[in-house]
Amino acid sequence: MKANPIARSHTPQFRSVPRRNHNARVDVQGSSPHGGVSPIELSTNWRRSDQFRLLEPQINAQKVHVWPFNANLPIELRLLDGDGDRTVSKNRHDYFEIFFVCSGATSFIVEDRRLPMEHGDMAIVGSTLHHSTHCSPHARSTIGALYFDPDFISGDGMACRADYLAPFLDQDPGFPHIVPAATGLPRQILDLMEMIQEEMPGSSRLARLAIKTYLRMILILLVKQYATHASGVDSFRQQQRALESLQKFFEFLPGHVGDMICAPDAARMCNLSETEFAAYLRQLTRRSFRSYLNQYRVERAQTALAETNHPISEIAQETGFCDQSYFGAVFHKFTDMTPLGYRHHNASGQTSALRPM
């Protein structure tokens, strides 16, 4: 795979974190193209799940994945087994995520980018980007994932929290999400994740303090790794300003998806010029108004096709497509499937994510 020059050039020179002695361990291995990468060794007390069966039902109609965190300890570690025959829909989530490839190989799909990942590589993603992982057909992979609510780091003030979370807040279209195994950083972070797992479920105050401390150590390593992307606070404020500016449009759209909606009307709704509206929308979604509206309508149509027996012509009308042929063309553009094909595909127990554009 092509090396990430930013990830390699800013590798922190930290010593490896000492590992605890575990009575029982399990190797999760795969063929590794990195000659110097040792087998991924994990504690047996990591919860292991089928990736598709666990995650897909938790993704709502707006393509937002909702993780059922413990309110007192909003952090989770999981081993997820995936395969190329069942792909989790591309989604975003309000929590932050760090994951690494324990075995096999996969591709990390982030918006319209496809980033190959090999055994031992690590990836991070924040809360605004739609993403998923894809294996080759009939292939299998296992990933180790850490999910956490960013508010879990609060307590030292917003500015300090933003400093810790800068790599997750400043993920522009060219952000280097992948940290190669050869940098050594994924192994250091895995050590700290193991130490977090040892303290789970955090039933005492001391255990919760240890978990938060280890998580902060992980975040410091990432801040150093992504030193060239240290403008997280400004980026976060820009995202918040854009979201607040478009809030009326986003609140209006779900109840009026079948209406005639044009960019000038949407801009007036938000008290913005068309230029300002287009700039804010592209900043948040990486899309033009028409592309975003069509994507949203196709997502609503996918839900209706999967969950109802309504005629396709009726679904087209309800989601804002006055012509069924045009609906079919737009639907195929985003999914690589016809509406009827999608309905049959979904009825067979499989789910098709939107195709990266």
Side-chain angles (χ1 to χ4, degrees):
M1 81 185 249
K2 185 177 180 180
N4 187 319
I6 294 178
R8 292 180 184 276
S9 62
H10 294 279
T11 305
Q13 301 302 312
F14 276 52
R15 294 183 179 179
S16 294
V17 178
R19 301 182 67 86
R20 296 188 176 200
N21 292 324
H22 301 285
N23 293 328
R25 307 190 69 82
V26 59
D27 288 349
V28 184
Q29 306 184 42
S31 59
S32 171
H34 304 292
V37 178
S38 58
I40 300 295
E41 197 178 54
L42 299 173
S43 329
T44 55
N45 57 351
W46 280 57
R47 294 185 64 183
R48 191 162 194 161
S49 306
D50 179 277
Q51 184 179 27
F52 183 86
R53 291 180 180 176
L54 177 68
L55 301 183
E56 190 67 29
Q58 297 172 338
I59 299 172
N60 63 26
Q62 287 70 48
K63 300 302 177 185
V64 177
H65 178 249
V66 181
W67 186 264
F69 283 118
N70 178 338
N72 295 320
L73 191 68
I75 185 170
E76 185 81 20
L77 295 100
R78 284 293 179 104
L79 268 182
L80 301 173
D81 294 315
D83 60 67
D85 301 319
R86 299 171 306 154
T87 298
V88 175
S89 302
K90 197 160 67 170
N91 64 92
R92 71 164 193 86
H93 41 63
D94 292 332
Y95 58 84
F96 291 168
E97 178 178 359
I98 303 169
F99 71 90
F100 58 92
V101 181
C102 300
S103 68
T106 189
S107 290
F108 186 36
I109 310 300
V110 188
E111 296 294 346
D112 59 352
R113 301 166 67 197
R114 178 181 290 269
L115 308 175
M117 295 184 68
E118 303 289 350
H119 172 252
D121 291 346
M122 181 183 72
I124 73 169
V125 65
S127 60
T128 62
L129 302 177
H130 287 78
H131 61 279
S132 183
T133 56
H134 290 195
C135 290
S136 300
H138 312 302
R140 298 188 62 82
S141 69
T142 299
I143 64 174
L146 183 152
Y147 306 145
F148 69 97
D149 186 331
D151 288 339
F152 185 49
I153 300 300
S154 63
D156 296 328
M158 180 61 73
C160 182
R161 170 175 171 248
D163 287 340
Y164 276 114
L165 300 174
F168 296 91
L169 301 176
D170 191 29
Q171 297 188 349
D172 55 34
F175 183 82
H177 293 271
I178 310 301
V179 181
T183 66
L185 182 62
R187 190 73 214 190
Q188 294 183 57
I189 288 180
L190 172 59
D191 287 339
L192 288 162
M193 291 168 67
E194 290 272 60
M195 296 171 78
I196 289 174
Q197 183 60 49
E198 282 295 307
E199 301 293 342
M200 297 295 277
S203 53
S204 70
R205 181 181 178 185
L206 182 59
R208 289 190 294 273
L209 177 61
I211 290 169
K212 182 176 288 191
T213 299
Y214 297 143
L215 177 58
R216 285 180 173 174
M217 291 171 69
I218 289 173
L219 297 176
I220 289 171
L221 285 168
L222 291 173
V223 168
K224 287 180 174 292
Q225 174 74 11
Y226 290 99
T228 58
H229 291 266
S231 58
V233 175
D234 287 342
S235 177
F236 178 69
R237 288 173 179 168
Q238 290 172 9
Q239 292 284 94
Q240 287 296 105
R241 184 165 59 250
L243 187 60
E244 291 168 2
S245 298
L246 301 185
Q247 184 174 355
K248 289 183 179 179
F249 170 66
F250 289 136
E251 291 176 348
F252 170 85
L253 188 56
H256 300 82
V257 67
D259 297 351
M260 292 289 293
I261 307 171
C262 61
D265 290 340
R268 280 192 293 271
M269 184 186 308
C270 300
N271 296 317
L272 297 170
S273 69
E274 290 185 49
T275 300
E276 289 174 322
F277 178 85
Y280 282 139
L281 187 64
R282 186 169 290 278
Q283 181 181 342
L284 286 173
T285 69
R286 312 288 196 268
R287 293 187 180 277
S288 66
F289 173 78
R290 181 55 54 190
S291 177
Y292 174 77
L293 183 60
N294 282 340
Q295 177 189 11
Y296 183 83
R297 285 171 165 169
V298 167
E299 288 176 352
R300 291 288 293 269
Q302 284 181 296
T303 300
L305 289 166
E307 298 180 359
T308 74
N309 292 319
H310 296 171
I312 291 176
S313 58
E314 181 179 322
I315 292 174
Q317 292 283 339
E318 290 175 348
T319 53
F321 297 97
C322 57
D323 181 87
Q324 187 173 342
S325 296
Y326 178 63
F327 168 61
V330 174
F331 192 94
H332 188 275
K333 179 181 179 182
F334 281 95
T335 67
D336 271 341
M337 303 179 73
T338 65
L340 182 60
Y342 177 84
R343 172 169 273 173
H344 290 162
H345 186 72
N346 192 272
S348 69
Q350 303 181 31
T351 302
S352 175
L354 292 186
R355 180 170 63 87
M357 300 295 292

mmCIF file of all heavy atoms in Angstrom, residues 145-189:
data_model
loop_
_atom_site.group_PDB
_atom_site.id
_atom_site.type_symbol
_atom_site.label_atom_id
_atom_site.label_comp_id
_atom_site.label_asym_id
_atom_site.label_seq_id
_atom_site.Cartn_x
_atom_site.Cartn_y
_atom_site.Cartn_z
ATOM 1 N N ALA A 145 -11.668 -2.507 17.705
ATOM 2 C CA ALA A 145 -12.185 -1.142 17.685
ATOM 3 C C ALA A 145 -12.338 -0.579 19.082
ATOM 4 O O ALA A 145 -12.736 -1.294 20.010
ATOM 5 C CB ALA A 145 -13.520 -1.092 16.953
ATOM 6 N N LEU A 146 -12.019 0.688 19.223
ATOM 7 C CA LEU A 146 -12.270 1.449 20.442
ATOM 8 C C LEU A 146 -13.203 2.594 20.087
ATOM 9 O O LEU A 146 -12.892 3.406 19.212
ATOM 10 C CB LEU A 146 -10.958 1.994 21.026
ATOM 11 C CG LEU A 146 -11.072 2.753 22.363
ATOM 12 C CD1 LEU A 146 -9.777 2.624 23.159
ATOM 13 C CD2 LEU A 146 -11.373 4.238 22.166
ATOM 14 N N TYR A 147 -14.377 2.640 20.731
ATOM 15 C CA TYR A 147 -15.331 3.727 20.560
ATOM 16 C C TYR A 147 -15.376 4.529 21.857
ATOM 17 O O TYR A 147 -15.381 3.952 22.950
ATOM 18 C CB TYR A 147 -16.743 3.186 20.294
ATOM 19 C CG TYR A 147 -16.873 2.203 19.149
ATOM 20 C CD1 TYR A 147 -17.796 1.150 19.230
ATOM 21 C CD2 TYR A 147 -16.110 2.326 17.997
ATOM 22 C CE1 TYR A 147 -17.945 0.252 18.181
ATOM 23 C CE2 TYR A 147 -16.245 1.430 16.946
ATOM 24 C CZ TYR A 147 -17.172 0.390 17.051
ATOM 25 O OH TYR A 147 -17.302 -0.492 16.013
ATOM 26 N N PHE A 148 -15.444 5.854 21.731
ATOM 27 C CA PHE A 148 -15.613 6.652 22.943
ATOM 28 C C PHE A 148 -16.343 7.953 22.635
ATOM 29 O O PHE A 148 -16.205 8.532 21.562
ATOM 30 C CB PHE A 148 -14.260 6.945 23.611
ATOM 31 C CG PHE A 148 -13.365 7.886 22.850
ATOM 32 C CD1 PHE A 148 -13.318 9.241 23.161
ATOM 33 C CD2 PHE A 148 -12.544 7.418 21.829
ATOM 34 C CE1 PHE A 148 -12.494 10.110 22.475
ATOM 35 C CE2 PHE A 148 -11.708 8.272 21.135
ATOM 36 C CZ PHE A 148 -11.682 9.627 21.457
ATOM 37 N N ASP A 149 -17.136 8.382 23.606
ATOM 38 C CA ASP A 149 -17.832 9.663 23.529
ATOM 39 C C ASP A 149 -16.825 10.765 23.828
ATOM 40 O O ASP A 149 -16.157 10.722 24.865
ATOM 41 C CB ASP A 149 -18.967 9.681 24.552
ATOM 42 C CG ASP A 149 -19.848 10.921 24.463
ATOM 43 O OD1 ASP A 149 -19.338 11.985 24.050
ATOM 44 O OD2 ASP A 149 -21.034 10.831 24.827
ATOM 45 N N PRO A 150 -16.678 11.768 22.951
ATOM 46 C CA PRO A 150 -15.688 12.821 23.220
ATOM 47 C C PRO A 150 -15.934 13.574 24.515
ATOM 48 O O PRO A 150 -14.992 14.108 25.103
ATOM 49 C CB PRO A 150 -15.810 13.742 21.998
ATOM 50 C CG PRO A 150 -17.109 13.386 21.352
ATOM 51 C CD PRO A 150 -17.346 11.952 21.653
ATOM 52 N N ASP A 151 -17.177 13.600 24.987
ATOM 53 C CA ASP A 151 -17.463 14.281 26.259
ATOM 54 C C ASP A 151 -16.813 13.565 27.441
ATOM 55 O O ASP A 151 -16.699 14.133 28.526
ATOM 56 C CB ASP A 151 -18.969 14.379 26.489
ATOM 57 C CG ASP A 151 -19.624 15.398 25.562
ATOM 58 O OD1 ASP A 151 -18.888 16.277 25.057
ATOM 59 O OD2 ASP A 151 -20.840 15.308 25.333
ATOM 60 N N PHE A 152 -16.395 12.309 27.236
ATOM 61 C CA PHE A 152 -15.731 11.566 28.302
ATOM 62 C C PHE A 152 -14.417 12.224 28.699
ATOM 63 O O PHE A 152 -13.917 12.033 29.810
ATOM 64 C CB PHE A 152 -15.485 10.130 27.819
ATOM 65 C CG PHE A 152 -14.910 9.207 28.861
ATOM 66 C CD1 PHE A 152 -15.469 9.120 30.135
ATOM 67 C CD2 PHE A 152 -13.817 8.405 28.570
ATOM 68 C CE1 PHE A 152 -14.938 8.263 31.083
ATOM 69 C CE2 PHE A 152 -13.286 7.536 29.511
ATOM 70 C CZ PHE A 152 -13.854 7.471 30.775
ATOM 71 N N ILE A 153 -13.823 13.020 27.794
ATOM 72 C CA ILE A 153 -12.554 13.686 28.059
ATOM 73 C C ILE A 153 -12.770 15.028 28.735
ATOM 74 O O ILE A 153 -11.833 15.710 29.107
ATOM 75 C CB ILE A 153 -11.769 13.881 26.741
ATOM 76 C CG1 ILE A 153 -11.514 12.520 26.114
ATOM 77 C CG2 ILE A 153 -10.431 14.571 26.941
ATOM 78 C CD1 ILE A 153 -10.702 11.586 26.995
ATOM 79 N N SER A 154 -14.017 15.450 28.916
ATOM 80 C CA SER A 154 -14.287 16.757 29.516
ATOM 81 C C SER A 154 -13.854 16.767 30.972
ATOM 82 O O SER A 154 -13.569 15.743 31.577
ATOM 83 C CB SER A 154 -15.773 17.087 29.414
ATOM 84 O OG SER A 154 -16.530 16.145 30.153
ATOM 85 N N GLY A 155 -13.811 17.954 31.529
ATOM 86 C CA GLY A 155 -13.443 18.085 32.932
ATOM 87 C C GLY A 155 -12.315 19.069 33.137
ATOM 88 O O GLY A 155 -12.151 19.627 34.210
ATOM 89 N N ASP A 156 -11.529 19.312 32.061
ATOM 90 C CA ASP A 156 -10.435 20.271 32.160
ATOM 91 C C ASP A 156 -10.706 21.524 31.337
ATOM 92 O O ASP A 156 -9.802 22.284 31.031
ATOM 93 C CB ASP A 156 -9.130 19.625 31.667
ATOM 94 C CG ASP A 156 -8.723 18.457 32.546
ATOM 95 O OD1 ASP A 156 -9.012 18.513 33.745
ATOM 96 O OD2 ASP A 156 -8.125 17.509 32.024
ATOM 97 N N GLY A 157 -11.964 21.724 30.932
ATOM 98 C CA GLY A 157 -12.292 22.885 30.123
ATOM 99 C C GLY A 157 -12.317 22.538 28.645
ATOM 100 O O GLY A 157 -11.673 21.610 28.183
ATOM 101 N N MET A 158 -13.121 23.305 27.880
ATOM 102 C CA MET A 158 -13.304 23.029 26.458
ATOM 103 C C MET A 158 -11.998 23.128 25.681
ATOM 104 O O MET A 158 -11.720 22.330 24.793
ATOM 105 C CB MET A 158 -14.338 24.008 25.878
ATOM 106 C CG MET A 158 -14.608 23.821 24.394
ATOM 107 S SD MET A 158 -15.258 22.183 23.988
ATOM 108 C CE MET A 158 -16.925 22.346 24.630
ATOM 109 N N ALA A 159 -11.170 24.126 25.989
ATOM 110 C CA ALA A 159 -9.935 24.308 25.229
ATOM 111 C C ALA A 159 -9.013 23.112 25.389
ATOM 112 O O ALA A 159 -8.441 22.599 24.424
ATOM 113 C CB ALA A 159 -9.223 25.583 25.678
ATOM 114 N N CYS A 160 -8.881 22.619 26.633
ATOM 115 C CA CYS A 160 -8.018 21.458 26.878
ATOM 116 C C CYS A 160 -8.582 20.231 26.180
ATOM 117 O O CYS A 160 -7.847 19.450 25.578
ATOM 118 C CB CYS A 160 -7.891 21.225 28.379
ATOM 119 S SG CYS A 160 -6.808 19.841 28.813
ATOM 120 N N ARG A 161 -9.908 20.065 26.240
ATOM 121 C CA ARG A 161 -10.551 18.925 25.590
ATOM 122 C C ARG A 161 -10.296 18.960 24.085
ATOM 123 O O ARG A 161 -10.000 17.940 23.458
ATOM 124 C CB ARG A 161 -12.041 18.966 25.885
ATOM 125 C CG ARG A 161 -12.881 17.972 25.086
ATOM 126 C CD ARG A 161 -14.319 18.025 25.556
ATOM 127 N NE ARG A 161 -15.171 17.262 24.675
ATOM 128 C CZ ARG A 161 -16.096 17.813 23.895
ATOM 129 N NH1 ARG A 161 -16.264 19.113 23.887
ATOM 130 N NH2 ARG A 161 -16.858 17.063 23.130
ATOM 131 N N ALA A 162 -10.401 20.137 23.484
ATOM 132 C CA ALA A 162 -10.168 20.266 22.047
ATOM 133 C C ALA A 162 -8.720 19.955 21.695
ATOM 134 O O ALA A 162 -8.442 19.407 20.630
ATOM 135 C CB ALA A 162 -10.542 21.674 21.587
ATOM 136 N N ASP A 163 -7.790 20.296 22.578
ATOM 137 C CA ASP A 163 -6.387 19.958 22.326
ATOM 138 C C ASP A 163 -6.200 18.450 22.242
ATOM 139 O O ASP A 163 -5.511 17.940 21.359
ATOM 140 C CB ASP A 163 -5.499 20.535 23.436
ATOM 141 C CG ASP A 163 -5.341 22.046 23.337
ATOM 142 O OD1 ASP A 163 -5.589 22.587 22.244
ATOM 143 O OD2 ASP A 163 -4.978 22.670 24.343
ATOM 144 N N TYR A 164 -6.809 17.718 23.170
ATOM 145 C CA TYR A 164 -6.710 16.256 23.157
ATOM 146 C C TYR A 164 -7.322 15.663 21.886
ATOM 147 O O TYR A 164 -6.835 14.668 21.352
ATOM 148 C CB TYR A 164 -7.449 15.659 24.356
ATOM 149 C CG TYR A 164 -6.667 15.611 25.643
ATOM 150 C CD1 TYR A 164 -7.052 16.375 26.744
ATOM 151 C CD2 TYR A 164 -5.565 14.770 25.797
ATOM 152 C CE1 TYR A 164 -6.350 16.324 27.942
ATOM 153 C CE2 TYR A 164 -4.865 14.708 26.977
ATOM 154 C CZ TYR A 164 -5.255 15.487 28.057
ATOM 155 O OH TYR A 164 -4.565 15.422 29.234
ATOM 156 N N LEU A 165 -8.433 16.260 21.428
ATOM 157 C CA LEU A 165 -9.223 15.668 20.357
ATOM 158 C C LEU A 165 -8.922 16.249 18.986
ATOM 159 O O LEU A 165 -9.609 15.920 18.012
ATOM 160 C CB LEU A 165 -10.718 15.855 20.674
ATOM 161 C CG LEU A 165 -11.198 15.214 21.972
ATOM 162 C CD1 LEU A 165 -12.652 15.582 22.238
ATOM 163 C CD2 LEU A 165 -11.035 13.703 21.938
ATOM 164 N N ALA A 166 -7.885 17.080 18.889
ATOM 165 C CA ALA A 166 -7.598 17.772 17.636
ATOM 166 C C ALA A 166 -7.556 16.852 16.415
ATOM 167 O O ALA A 166 -8.119 17.192 15.372
ATOM 168 C CB ALA A 166 -6.289 18.558 17.760
ATOM 169 N N PRO A 167 -6.929 15.670 16.468
ATOM 170 C CA PRO A 167 -6.889 14.822 15.263
ATOM 171 C C PRO A 167 -8.266 14.379 14.781
ATOM 172 O O PRO A 167 -8.448 14.084 13.601
ATOM 173 C CB PRO A 167 -6.056 13.619 15.701
ATOM 174 C CG PRO A 167 -5.221 14.125 16.833
ATOM 175 C CD PRO A 167 -6.110 15.091 17.550
ATOM 176 N N PHE A 168 -9.243 14.307 15.680
ATOM 177 C CA PHE A 168 -10.590 13.886 15.304
ATOM 178 C C PHE A 168 -11.433 15.064 14.805
ATOM 179 O O PHE A 168 -12.416 14.863 14.089
ATOM 180 C CB PHE A 168 -11.299 13.234 16.495
ATOM 181 C CG PHE A 168 -10.648 11.970 16.965
ATOM 182 C CD1 PHE A 168 -9.668 11.998 17.945
ATOM 183 C CD2 PHE A 168 -11.009 10.742 16.436
ATOM 184 C CE1 PHE A 168 -9.051 10.836 18.391
ATOM 185 C CE2 PHE A 168 -10.407 9.568 16.868
ATOM 186 C CZ PHE A 168 -9.430 9.619 17.842
ATOM 187 N N LEU A 169 -11.058 16.276 15.212
ATOM 188 C CA LEU A 169 -11.850 17.449 14.867
ATOM 189 C C LEU A 169 -11.436 18.074 13.546
ATOM 190 O O LEU A 169 -12.207 18.801 12.933
ATOM 191 C CB LEU A 169 -11.733 18.501 15.981
ATOM 192 C CG LEU A 169 -12.184 18.069 17.382
ATOM 193 C CD1 LEU A 169 -11.909 19.170 18.392
ATOM 194 C CD2 LEU A 169 -13.662 17.706 17.378
ATOM 195 N N ASP A 170 -10.234 17.826 13.116
ATOM 196 C CA ASP A 170 -9.686 18.499 11.942
ATOM 197 C C ASP A 170 -9.486 17.515 10.798
ATOM 198 O O ASP A 170 -8.407 17.403 10.242
ATOM 199 C CB ASP A 170 -8.361 19.176 12.301
ATOM 200 C CG ASP A 170 -7.890 20.116 11.200
ATOM 201 O OD1 ASP A 170 -8.745 20.661 10.491
ATOM 202 O OD2 ASP A 170 -6.673 20.285 11.049
ATOM 203 N N GLN A 171 -10.530 16.786 10.454
ATOM 204 C CA GLN A 171 -10.423 15.771 9.405
ATOM 205 C C GLN A 171 -10.977 16.320 8.091
ATOM 206 O O GLN A 171 -12.137 16.132 7.759
ATOM 207 C CB GLN A 171 -11.116 14.480 9.839
ATOM 208 C CG GLN A 171 -10.457 13.865 11.060
ATOM 209 C CD GLN A 171 -10.974 12.486 11.418
ATOM 210 O OE1 GLN A 171 -11.982 12.016 10.881
ATOM 211 N NE2 GLN A 171 -10.301 11.820 12.342
ATOM 212 N N ASP A 172 -10.101 17.009 7.368
ATOM 213 C CA ASP A 172 -10.471 17.581 6.084
ATOM 214 C C ASP A 172 -10.448 16.492 5.011
ATOM 215 O O ASP A 172 -10.104 15.341 5.287
ATOM 216 C CB ASP A 172 -9.520 18.733 5.728
ATOM 217 C CG ASP A 172 -8.057 18.313 5.743
ATOM 218 O OD1 ASP A 172 -7.767 17.151 5.385
ATOM 219 O OD2 ASP A 172 -7.208 19.137 6.109
ATOM 220 N N PRO A 173 -10.823 16.820 3.744
ATOM 221 C CA PRO A 173 -10.903 15.773 2.707
ATOM 222 C C PRO A 173 -9.604 15.022 2.453
ATOM 223 O O PRO A 173 -9.635 13.895 1.961
ATOM 224 C CB PRO A 173 -11.339 16.563 1.466
ATOM 225 C CG PRO A 173 -12.085 17.729 2.000
ATOM 226 C CD PRO A 173 -11.385 18.102 3.275
ATOM 227 N N GLY A 174 -8.463 15.621 2.776
ATOM 228 C CA GLY A 174 -7.202 14.927 2.556
ATOM 229 C C GLY A 174 -6.583 14.363 3.814
ATOM 230 O O GLY A 174 -5.410 13.966 3.812
ATOM 231 N N PHE A 175 -7.345 14.287 4.881
ATOM 232 C CA PHE A 175 -6.809 13.850 6.170
ATOM 233 C C PHE A 175 -6.253 12.431 6.086
ATOM 234 O O PHE A 175 -6.906 11.524 5.539
ATOM 235 C CB PHE A 175 -7.901 13.909 7.234
ATOM 236 C CG PHE A 175 -7.426 13.549 8.617
ATOM 237 C CD1 PHE A 175 -6.795 14.487 9.410
ATOM 238 C CD2 PHE A 175 -7.611 12.271 9.134
ATOM 239 C CE1 PHE A 175 -6.352 14.173 10.685
ATOM 240 C CE2 PHE A 175 -7.177 11.942 10.401
ATOM 241 C CZ PHE A 175 -6.544 12.894 11.179
ATOM 242 N N PRO A 176 -5.043 12.178 6.630
ATOM 243 C CA PRO A 176 -4.447 10.829 6.582
ATOM 244 C C PRO A 176 -4.984 9.939 7.701
ATOM 245 O O PRO A 176 -4.386 9.790 8.754
ATOM 246 C CB PRO A 176 -2.953 11.113 6.759
ATOM 247 C CG PRO A 176 -2.896 12.360 7.578
ATOM 248 C CD PRO A 176 -4.084 13.185 7.172
ATOM 249 N N HIS A 177 -6.129 9.318 7.455
ATOM 250 C CA HIS A 177 -6.785 8.511 8.492
ATOM 251 C C HIS A 177 -5.970 7.294 8.907
ATOM 252 O O HIS A 177 -6.077 6.835 10.040
ATOM 253 C CB HIS A 177 -8.157 8.043 7.991
ATOM 254 C CG HIS A 177 -9.153 9.134 7.795
ATOM 255 N ND1 HIS A 177 -9.988 9.566 8.801
ATOM 256 C CD2 HIS A 177 -9.430 9.893 6.713
ATOM 257 C CE1 HIS A 177 -10.758 10.535 8.335
ATOM 258 N NE2 HIS A 177 -10.445 10.752 7.077
ATOM 259 N N ILE A 178 -5.184 6.741 7.986
ATOM 260 C CA ILE A 178 -4.483 5.480 8.229
ATOM 261 C C ILE A 178 -3.097 5.742 8.806
ATOM 262 O O ILE A 178 -2.351 6.569 8.290
ATOM 263 C CB ILE A 178 -4.341 4.665 6.932
ATOM 264 C CG1 ILE A 178 -5.699 4.545 6.222
ATOM 265 C CG2 ILE A 178 -3.754 3.286 7.241
ATOM 266 C CD1 ILE A 178 -6.770 3.890 7.044
ATOM 267 N N VAL A 179 -2.765 5.013 9.873
ATOM 268 C CA VAL A 179 -1.405 5.011 10.421
ATOM 269 C C VAL A 179 -0.829 3.623 10.166
ATOM 270 O O VAL A 179 -1.313 2.637 10.739
ATOM 271 C CB VAL A 179 -1.391 5.327 11.927
ATOM 272 C CG1 VAL A 179 0.046 5.338 12.451
ATOM 273 C CG2 VAL A 179 -2.069 6.667 12.206
ATOM 274 N N PRO A 180 0.178 3.496 9.299
ATOM 275 C CA PRO A 180 0.700 2.171 8.944
ATOM 276 C C PRO A 180 1.324 1.458 10.141
ATOM 277 O O PRO A 180 1.894 2.079 11.041
ATOM 278 C CB PRO A 180 1.762 2.488 7.877
ATOM 279 C CG PRO A 180 1.396 3.834 7.342
ATOM 280 C CD PRO A 180 0.802 4.571 8.502
ATOM 281 N N ALA A 181 1.246 0.144 10.125
ATOM 282 C CA ALA A 181 1.831 -0.675 11.189
ATOM 283 C C ALA A 181 3.321 -0.419 11.327
ATOM 284 O O ALA A 181 3.871 -0.440 12.435
ATOM 285 C CB ALA A 181 1.570 -2.153 10.907
ATOM 286 N N ALA A 182 3.983 -0.159 10.199
ATOM 287 C CA ALA A 182 5.441 -0.002 10.217
ATOM 288 C C ALA A 182 5.900 1.197 11.037
ATOM 289 O O ALA A 182 7.072 1.266 11.423
ATOM 290 C CB ALA A 182 5.963 0.118 8.784
ATOM 291 N N THR A 183 5.003 2.156 11.320
ATOM 292 C CA THR A 183 5.400 3.300 12.149
ATOM 293 C C THR A 183 5.600 2.902 13.604
ATOM 294 O O THR A 183 6.244 3.621 14.365
ATOM 295 C CB THR A 183 4.336 4.406 12.092
ATOM 296 O OG1 THR A 183 3.118 3.932 12.697
ATOM 297 C CG2 THR A 183 4.060 4.840 10.659
ATOM 298 N N GLY A 184 5.027 1.773 14.024
ATOM 299 C CA GLY A 184 5.114 1.348 15.424
ATOM 300 C C GLY A 184 4.047 1.938 16.315
ATOM 301 O O GLY A 184 3.806 1.434 17.416
ATOM 302 N N LEU A 185 3.379 3.004 15.859
ATOM 303 C CA LEU A 185 2.378 3.658 16.705
ATOM 304 C C LEU A 185 1.159 2.767 16.972
ATOM 305 O O LEU A 185 0.664 2.735 18.113
ATOM 306 C CB LEU A 185 1.947 4.982 16.084
ATOM 307 C CG LEU A 185 0.931 5.780 16.893
ATOM 308 C CD1 LEU A 185 1.496 6.173 18.256
ATOM 309 C CD2 LEU A 185 0.485 7.025 16.131
ATOM 310 N N PRO A 186 0.625 2.041 15.964
ATOM 311 C CA PRO A 186 -0.525 1.185 16.264
ATOM 312 C C PRO A 186 -0.257 0.211 17.411
ATOM 313 O O PRO A 186 -1.125 -0.032 18.250
ATOM 314 C CB PRO A 186 -0.766 0.449 14.939
ATOM 315 C CG PRO A 186 -0.288 1.410 13.905
ATOM 316 C CD PRO A 186 0.940 2.033 14.520
ATOM 317 N N ARG A 187 0.959 -0.333 17.494
ATOM 318 C CA ARG A 187 1.260 -1.276 18.564
ATOM 319 C C ARG A 187 1.265 -0.575 19.926
ATOM 320 O O ARG A 187 0.790 -1.131 20.927
ATOM 321 C CB ARG A 187 2.630 -1.909 18.297
ATOM 322 C CG ARG A 187 2.951 -3.074 19.205
ATOM 323 C CD ARG A 187 2.133 -4.293 18.811
ATOM 324 N NE ARG A 187 1.756 -5.095 19.943
ATOM 325 C CZ ARG A 187 1.212 -6.306 19.834
ATOM 326 N NH1 ARG A 187 0.991 -6.815 18.645
ATOM 327 N NH2 ARG A 187 0.877 -6.992 20.900
ATOM 328 N N GLN A 188 1.799 0.648 19.976
ATOM 329 C CA GLN A 188 1.795 1.389 21.241
ATOM 330 C C GLN A 188 0.368 1.671 21.699
ATOM 331 O O GLN A 188 0.046 1.543 22.890
ATOM 332 C CB GLN A 188 2.562 2.701 21.069
ATOM 333 C CG GLN A 188 4.051 2.530 20.814
ATOM 334 C CD GLN A 188 4.746 3.880 20.734
ATOM 335 O OE1 GLN A 188 4.688 4.675 21.655
ATOM 336 N NE2 GLN A 188 5.413 4.144 19.614
ATOM 337 N N ILE A 189 -0.475 2.045 20.755
ATOM 338 C CA ILE A 189 -1.861 2.347 21.107
ATOM 339 C C ILE A 189 -2.609 1.074 21.488
ATOM 340 O O ILE A 189 -3.440 1.074 22.413
ATOM 341 C CB ILE A 189 -2.540 3.105 19.957
ATOM 342 C CG1 ILE A 189 -1.968 4.527 19.909
ATOM 343 C CG2 ILE A 189 -4.057 3.128 20.112
ATOM 344 C CD1 ILE A 189 -2.529 5.408 18.825
#
